[in-house]
Amino acid sequence: MAASRRRTSAEFQGDGSLMPPSAHVVASPRGGGAPSREEHANGGRPALRGANPRGGSSVFSATKLTGRRRPARRMPLRRVAIFASLALNVAALALLRHRYVVSHPHHPGVVSLDQQHHVCAPQPGTSGAAASAPSTGKPGVTSDSVINLDHGDPTMFEAFWRETGDAAELVIPGWQTMNYFSDVSNVCWFMEPDFDQQVRRLHRTVGNAAVDGCHVLVGTGSTQLLMAALYALSPADAVQPTSVVSTAPFYSWYPAVTDFLRSGLFRWAGDANSFVGDAYIELVCSPNNPDGAIRDALLGSGGAGKAVHDLAYYWPQYTPITRRADHDIMLFTMSKSTGHAGTRIGWALVKDREVARRMTKFVELNTVSVSKDSQLRAARVLRAVSDGYGGGASRHRLFDFGRRKMAERWRMLREAAAASGIFSLPEETSGRCNFANETAANNHAFAWLRCDREDVEDCAGFLRGHKILTRSGNQFGAEPRYVRVSMLGRDDAYDIFIRRLASLK
Amino acid sequence: MAASRRRTSAEFQGDGSLMPPSAHVVASPRGGGAPSREEHANGGRPALRGANPRGGSSVFSATKLTGRRRPARRMPLRRVAIFASLALNVAALALLRHRYVVSHPHHPGVVSLDQQHHVCAPQPGTSGAAASAPSTGKPGVTSDSVINLDHGDPTMFEAFWRETGDAAELVIPGWQTMNYFSDVSNVCWFMEPDFDQQVRRLHRTVGNAAVDGCHVLVGTGSTQLLMAALYALSPADAVQPTSVVSTAPFYSWYPAVTDFLRSGLFRWAGDANSFVGDAYIELVCSPNNPDGAIRDALLGSGGAGKAVHDLAYYWPQYTPITRRADHDIMLFTMSKSTGHAGTRIGWALVKDREVARRMTKFVELNTVSVSKDSQLRAARVLRAVSDGYGGGASRHRLFDFGRRKMAERWRMLREAAAASGIFSLPEETSGRCNFANETAANNHAFAWLRCDREDVEDCAGFLRGHKILTRSGNQFGAEPRYVRVSMLGRDDAYDIFIRRLASLK
């Protein structure tokens, strides 16, 4: 993946100084416009140096033919022009080829991604090679590999983005994005205006969230914004930490993110179903992680109770867009919408200005601001997504790709579970999708798989014994008979998982 | 700053289909290799269509001259080659010009940065223009402007990086850096190997830190890594939060970052000079923020006491490199080393593997990982810095630029303070710099300015009345007679500050 590269100044010269030895040069040593004697012998074509069939070279004055005289030593302008033109061609071809090779590192003759990754692996204390290839994440799998479907690493989307060519490519000069500030007139002063615009544009295009009248905030992933929301909604002067709840099965990270610093402002209080109290922050994830259920707040907002809506999966590839979500705080992430998890960009749509201000303050104290490079990257990617549905020339339709992919994978999974006979899955549900203008099924990013074999109480342990790594239901406030399986990985790993699952009895 | 751009497929064709109307085309309608009658009349040069002085066009058979025959209708290969060559030139020039314009948005004819910034300013609820220019930070200043030197926004370095051209440019294809993982064999599994290598290389080049045998960890700025260090060093099962101390004047953000979540793991306990106790985490900043003092730990490590060394300013532009720093935890940041504050990348050199593991866990729970795009950007920039001192072709020497700049600014400041007569500054100190192999002065990134006028107890308030914004000494655990002034801003703002300061009585 030699996308990071340096272009030397020589490549931009285009001044003919990159003439390779193979260029064909035609020039007369004596200049002049009239054909020489050799030229006449050659039917009027200029003589090639060293190719005089008569064994010599001379200039035949033009006066014999036309009576006009030209200085004998000047090279004809035409020949100079041909020379320069050919030189420029070669320089241009070299430049274009270099750019093509850099943009397409799989081009034969370029070091493969795996080779580059090995070169790049850090050796403690070594000076390091001049390698600059980005990492490729986890290594590939074989039929014997341990298949890790524990994380929601969205590598499935890579195939789509490879097809888009340079539609989502970003170039950042060395002198750009250096300062801290983006737009000091905005509540979120470190947010890049282009990112703000692309977020709004995408939501209007998809129709999955009411964005007008909302503040857009950017974060280093939606995980940071989740903590920012807890910080913003917890009274600073409260005697007790505010309780944070969510309906089981809830996302396994909610308790960890809430409690890892043992904050005096907020504290995890478990399943919303069993919560008693007036002051709380309810985390509502819909479609839900892990089981894909479509959810509303259980406790709701009102009085001292607040809700934060995590809509990471509310996109057409996973679920029909049945309405424009319209809540006080809505969180989204690049990781699950476009697959760009490594960019670490999430955003929040926030109605209340004071809440937006406090969330911004959290980010400021946590990481000062949010990487401008990442924001520009995200803006570029979001633009490419919207362009695909903008009625223009782009034919790259992310949600179409995603929907087909998820539908296929769920079909394979249901078949494998049926073939196995010891697993069950949530019921298939569907709805009217306003974005695609058709009925669409729910094909969640995760499969909430249950092992029905009586003697298997710990499904994650059972699957681990068959070299399939999943996340146990007990991390989600549910029974260990359940596991969460990522549906977003690469094809090779997913296919091996399906084959293995179908064979389990 | 139209660095973000899309290249259409047409630009890569280079097939001559981009021939503009102005291209000069030379072709004979009849082909053939022998000069036509017009060509003979023109002294053997090909006839321009429509430029026949004899009012007609014809092909003059070659048989009269040489006895050889050629097909009358085939265009001479030479002319086809000239035509194709010129077409390719034009296509290449168009492509190169497009790339130049995109990379250099100040090029005449391109929308200026200010215009782009206005276009990009978010209007609530608008659909937004197709603007994609990155922000430019704070607007420019005039002689009447409020000069804000409160923040350490390192815009001074922009001039250097503009001069490097594309040496630090980064290109990221749409399909890259998507997944979460970088190197699962590393303690810091989300760190890009190239970033790791460039950090090590730079430290070896500059000699400011012993990097061999250390784990390198990456963070979203060193602020995140500071919290990560507090998390890692605080016993999880302690009954009381661990005290966090630093010697006054200390960096104003240390108390805020430590306490904003009211963590049960660690708590700000103020000035190390007055601390009593066995368990503590001492934050040692050297050169110190705000006053530039060269510091060692006051309480030191040992028993239940730990030290974290914040070496953000330990670079040749600010201070002589007198020794290779060799502490248990050392923090650095792009913001102050290269000026790339907006990229949000910092790193830690950590000796103890378990501490490194817990710091990594903090980042994981806080933001899952660190933006790969930002890491690649930082690696590219660090590479360019090291290349400048690598004995190769690069002539871009960041630390030379920075040192000259800081020396000049401190000279101006001392003159202005002397001219004013009511301000004092820390004494000028110097030392032997092993990197530059010469004696060098301490020219800190901030000026610790004291107002000596008896009736001015609140220096920040006094300066604010003269439209100069600084940060009051009381935020650093010192008297309000002191202020911290950023020395890292743009030239225009700094010059206005100097003039105003010199005039104050």
Side-chain angles (χ1 to χ4, degrees):
Chain A
M1 290 186 179
S4 304
R5 58 181 181 81
R6 272 194 324 131
R7 294 193 303 272
T8 62
S9 58
E11 294 167 14
F12 281 121
Q13 283 171 5
D15 60 359
S17 58
L18 294 178
M19 173 71 67
S22 58
H24 182 71
V25 178
V26 175
S28 159
R30 304 295 180 101
S36 64
R37 179 177 294 165
E38 295 88 351
E39 288 170 350
H40 272 295
N42 283 334
R45 288 168 298 181
L48 294 175
R49 187 189 287 279
N52 181 359
R54 302 203 176 185
S57 66
S58 62
V59 174
F60 187 64
S61 168
T63 53
K64 287 194 177 177
L65 290 177
T66 66
R68 286 176 289 186
R69 294 169 49 82
R70 289 182 193 80
R73 284 194 168 77
R74 196 172 63 213
M75 183 185 289
L77 187 59
R78 179 183 64 213
R79 290 176 187 170
V80 172
I82 292 170
F83 181 91
S85 178
L86 286 169
L88 193 56
N89 287 152
V90 170
L93 284 170
L95 175 62
L96 288 169
R97 183 185 184 280
H98 177 83
R99 279 206 53 80
Y100 178 82
V101 165
V102 167
S103 299
H104 299 79
H106 286 292
H107 192 274
V110 176
V111 177
S112 75
L113 295 177
D114 284 343
Q115 285 173 309
Q116 287 177 333
H117 185 59
H118 275 294
V119 168
C120 291
Q123 304 303 317
T126 60
S127 58
S132 58
S135 66
T136 55
K138 297 185 200 166
V141 293
T142 70
S143 58
D144 283 330
S145 299
V146 172
I147 302 299
N148 190 339
L149 303 178
D150 173 286
H151 314 289
D153 201 18
T155 45
M156 175 187 90
F157 292 97
E158 275 177 10
F160 173 82
W161 289 104
R162 282 183 191 274
E163 290 302 309
T164 61
D166 55 12
E169 186 178 279
L170 182 66
V171 180
I172 311 179
W175 49 269
Q176 224 169 57
T177 69
M178 291 179 66
N179 62 75
Y180 285 117
F181 301 91
S182 291
D183 180 2
V184 295
S185 68
N186 199 328
V187 169
C188 190
W189 53 267
F190 46 77
M191 181 171 61
E192 285 292 294
D194 189 36
F195 176 78
D196 183 6
Q197 287 180 10
Q198 293 306 326
V199 162
R200 293 178 186 275
R201 180 184 174 211
L202 184 63
H203 283 304
R204 288 190 195 104
T205 300
V206 177
N208 60 341
V211 68
D212 294 333
C214 278
H215 298 273
V216 176
L217 309 182
V218 67
T220 309
S222 60
T223 304
Q224 183 182 50
L225 290 169
L226 178 74
M227 277 191 84
L230 300 184
Y231 174 80
L233 296 177
S234 306
D237 55 357
V239 175
Q240 295 289 342
T242 303
S243 294
V244 181
V245 296
S246 189
T247 306
F250 42 72
Y251 178 32
S252 55
W253 267 42
Y254 288 160
V257 168
T258 305
D259 276 356
F260 79 106
L261 286 174
R262 278 167 41 184
S263 170
L265 298 178
F266 43 80
R267 194 61 58 86
W268 179 252
D271 190 348
N273 281 301
S274 50
F275 179 74
V276 175
D278 300 321
Y280 56 84
I281 301 169
E282 184 183 354
L283 306 180
V284 185
C285 186
S286 184
N288 189 40
N289 179 354
D291 65 357
I294 305 302
R295 286 188 167 179
D296 287 314
L298 181 73
L299 307 174
S301 299
K306 311 281 181 208
V308 176
H309 283 78
D310 182 349
L311 304 181
Y313 305 97
Y314 193 44
W315 296 100
Q317 63 266 45
Y318 305 121
T319 188
I321 305 302
T322 55
R323 59 180 175 167
R324 207 179 292 266
D326 191 12
H327 306 290
D328 291 340
I329 302 176
M330 296 180 279
L331 305 182
F332 295 90
T333 172
M334 294 293 287
S335 306
K336 302 302 190 303
S337 52
T338 69
H340 288 79
T343 296
R344 310 309 311 122
I345 287 289
W347 66 92
L349 305 182
V350 180
K351 290 187 176 177
D352 185 271
R353 187 186 172 85
E354 182 56 22
V355 171
R357 198 194 60 76
R358 280 181 62 76
M359 288 179 70
T360 300
K361 189 69 184 171
F362 174 92
V363 175
E364 199 179 311
L365 289 163
N366 184 201
T367 56
V368 177
S369 62
V370 175
S371 168
K372 286 187 173 185
D373 308 295
S374 301
Q375 291 188 58
L376 293 180
R377 183 97 202 283
R380 166 65 70 209
V381 168
L382 294 180
R383 175 194 297 268
V385 175
S386 291
D387 283 350
Y389 296 95
S394 169
R395 65 194 192 294
H396 304 296
R397 307 193 126 202
L398 172 70
F399 301 123
D400 292 25
F401 166 88
R403 179 164 276 179
R404 276 196 311 271
K405 200 77 180 172
M406 295 309 298
E408 172 67 9
R409 288 192 171 191
W410 271 94
R411 183 193 63 71
M412 292 164 69
L413 180 61
R414 291 190 186 281
E415 284 176 5
S420 161
I422 62 169
F423 295 104
S424 55
L425 289 160
E427 253 186 50
E428 206 167 335
T429 54
S430 60
R432 175 74 184 170
C433 180
N434 296 329
F435 172 68
N437 224 5
E438 61 182 20
T439 299
N442 277 294
N443 293 312
H444 192 41
F446 297 100
W448 189 232
L449 189 72
R450 185 181 193 279
C451 185
D452 296 328
R453 226 175 79 173
E454 252 193 65
D455 59 328
V456 174
E457 287 184 3
D458 174 13
C459 186
F462 173 70
L463 289 172
R464 193 181 312 117
H466 293 277
K467 296 201 285 184
I468 300 170
L469 300 185
T470 58
R471 194 170 294 185
S472 174
N474 61 17
Q475 294 195 43
F476 299 87
E479 297 172 36
R481 277 196 178 275
Y482 287 93
V483 291
R484 187 194 77 168
V485 181
S486 169
M487 302 289 281
L488 303 181
R490 291 192 176 108
D491 283 341
D492 54 358
Y494 190 75
D495 291 346
I496 294 170
F497 159 67
I498 288 293
R499 279 200 301 274
R500 273 191 213 163
L501 191 79
S503 71
L504 298 179
K505 302 295 177 194
Chain B
M1 293 189 178
S4 303
R5 60 183 180 79
R6 264 190 334 126
R7 295 193 301 274
T8 63
S9 57
E11 296 167 12
F12 279 122
Q13 285 171 6
D15 60 358
S17 58
L18 295 177
M19 174 73 67
S22 57
H24 181 72
V25 178
V26 175
S28 158
R30 304 294 182 100
S36 65
R37 181 177 292 164
E38 296 88 352
E39 289 170 347
H40 272 296
N42 282 335
R45 289 171 297 183
L48 293 175
R49 187 189 286 278
N52 181 0
R54 299 198 179 189
S57 65
S58 62
V59 175
F60 188 62
S61 167
T63 53
K64 288 196 177 178
L65 290 177
T66 67
R68 285 178 289 190
R69 293 169 49 82
R70 290 180 195 81
R73 284 190 169 77
R74 197 170 61 209
M75 184 187 289
L77 185 59
R78 179 182 64 212
R79 291 174 187 169
V80 172
I82 291 170
F83 182 93
S85 177
L86 286 169
L88 192 56
N89 286 153
V90 171
L93 284 171
L95 174 63
L96 288 169
R97 183 186 182 280
H98 175 86
R99 277 201 54 77
Y100 177 81
V101 164
V102 167
S103 299
H104 299 79
H106 286 290
H107 192 275
V110 176
V111 175
S112 75
L113 293 178
D114 283 342
Q115 286 172 306
Q116 287 176 334
H117 185 59
H118 276 293
V119 167
C120 291
Q123 304 303 320
T126 60
S127 57
S132 60
S135 67
T136 55
K138 297 185 202 166
V141 292
T142 69
S143 58
D144 285 329
S145 299
V146 172
I147 302 299
N148 191 339
L149 303 178
D150 174 286
H151 315 289
D153 201 18
T155 43
M156 173 187 92
F157 292 96
E158 274 176 13
F160 172 83
W161 289 103
R162 282 183 190 274
E163 290 301 310
T164 62
D166 56 9
E169 186 178 278
L170 183 67
V171 180
I172 310 178
W175 49 268
Q176 225 170 57
T177 69
M178 291 179 66
N179 63 76
Y180 285 118
F181 301 91
S182 292
D183 181 1
V184 295
S185 68
N186 198 328
V187 169
C188 189
W189 54 266
F190 46 78
M191 181 170 64
E192 284 292 294
D194 189 35
F195 176 77
D196 184 7
Q197 287 179 11
Q198 294 305 328
V199 162
R200 293 178 187 275
R201 181 184 174 209
L202 185 63
H203 282 305
R204 287 190 196 105
T205 300
V206 177
N208 60 342
V211 68
D212 294 332
C214 277
H215 297 274
V216 176
L217 310 181
V218 66
T220 310
S222 60
T223 304
Q224 182 180 50
L225 290 169
L226 179 75
M227 277 190 86
L230 298 185
Y231 174 80
L233 296 177
S234 306
D237 54 359
V239 175
Q240 295 289 342
T242 304
S243 294
V244 181
V245 296
S246 189
T247 307
F250 41 72
Y251 177 31
S252 56
W253 267 42
Y254 287 161
V257 169
T258 306
D259 276 356
F260 80 106
L261 287 174
R262 278 167 41 185
S263 169
L265 298 178
F266 42 81
R267 194 62 59 86
W268 179 252
D271 190 348
N273 281 300
S274 50
F275 178 75
V276 175
D278 299 320
Y280 56 84
I281 300 169
E282 184 182 354
L283 305 180
V284 184
C285 186
S286 184
N288 190 39
N289 179 351
D291 63 358
I294 306 302
R295 285 190 167 177
D296 287 315
L298 182 73
L299 306 174
S301 300
K306 311 280 182 206
V308 176
H309 283 77
D310 183 350
L311 304 181
Y313 306 97
Y314 192 45
W315 296 100
Q317 63 268 44
Y318 306 121
T319 189
I321 306 301
T322 54
R323 58 180 175 169
R324 207 179 290 267
D326 192 12
H327 306 290
D328 291 341
I329 302 176
M330 297 180 279
L331 305 181
F332 295 90
T333 172
M334 293 294 288
S335 306
K336 302 304 189 303
S337 51
T338 69
H340 288 80
T343 295
R344 309 311 311 124
I345 288 289
W347 66 91
L349 304 183
V350 181
K351 290 188 176 177
D352 186 273
R353 187 184 172 86
E354 182 56 24
V355 170
R357 199 193 60 76
R358 279 182 61 76
M359 287 179 70
T360 298
K361 189 69 184 171
F362 174 91
V363 175
E364 199 177 312
L365 290 163
N366 184 201
T367 56
V368 177
S369 62
V370 175
S371 167
K372 286 187 173 185
D373 308 296
S374 302
Q375 292 188 57
L376 293 180
R377 183 96 201 283
R380 165 67 70 210
V381 168
L382 294 179
R383 177 193 297 268
V385 175
S386 290
D387 283 350
Y389 296 95
S394 170
R395 64 193 193 294
H396 305 296
R397 308 192 126 205
L398 171 70
F399 301 123
D400 293 25
F401 166 88
R403 180 164 277 178
R404 276 194 312 269
K405 200 79 182 169
M406 295 308 297
E408 171 66 10
R409 288 193 171 189
W410 272 93
R411 183 193 62 72
M412 293 165 68
L413 179 61
R414 291 190 187 280
E415 285 175 6
S420 161
I422 63 168
F423 295 104
S424 54
L425 289 159
E427 255 186 50
E428 205 167 338
T429 54
S430 60
R432 176 74 184 168
C433 179
N434 296 328
F435 173 69
N437 223 6
E438 60 183 20
T439 299
N442 278 293
N443 293 313
H444 192 41
F446 297 101
W448 188 233
L449 190 71
R450 185 183 192 277
C451 185
D452 297 327
R453 228 175 79 173
E454 252 194 66
D455 61 328
V456 174
E457 286 184 3
D458 174 14
C459 186
F462 173 70
L463 290 171
R464 195 181 309 119
H466 293 276
K467 297 201 282 186
I468 299 170
L469 300 185
T470 58
R471 194 170 294 185
S472 175
N474 62 17
Q475 295 195 44
F476 299 88
E479 297 172 36
R481 277 196 178 276
Y482 288 93
V483 292
R484 187 195 76 168
V485 181
S486 170
M487 301 291 281
L488 302 181
R490 290 191 177 108
D491 284 339
D492 54 359
Y494 190 75
D495 292 345
I496 294 170
F497 160 67
I498 289 293
R499 279 200 300 275
R500 272 189 213 165
L501 191 79
S503 71
L504 298 179
K505 302 295 178 193

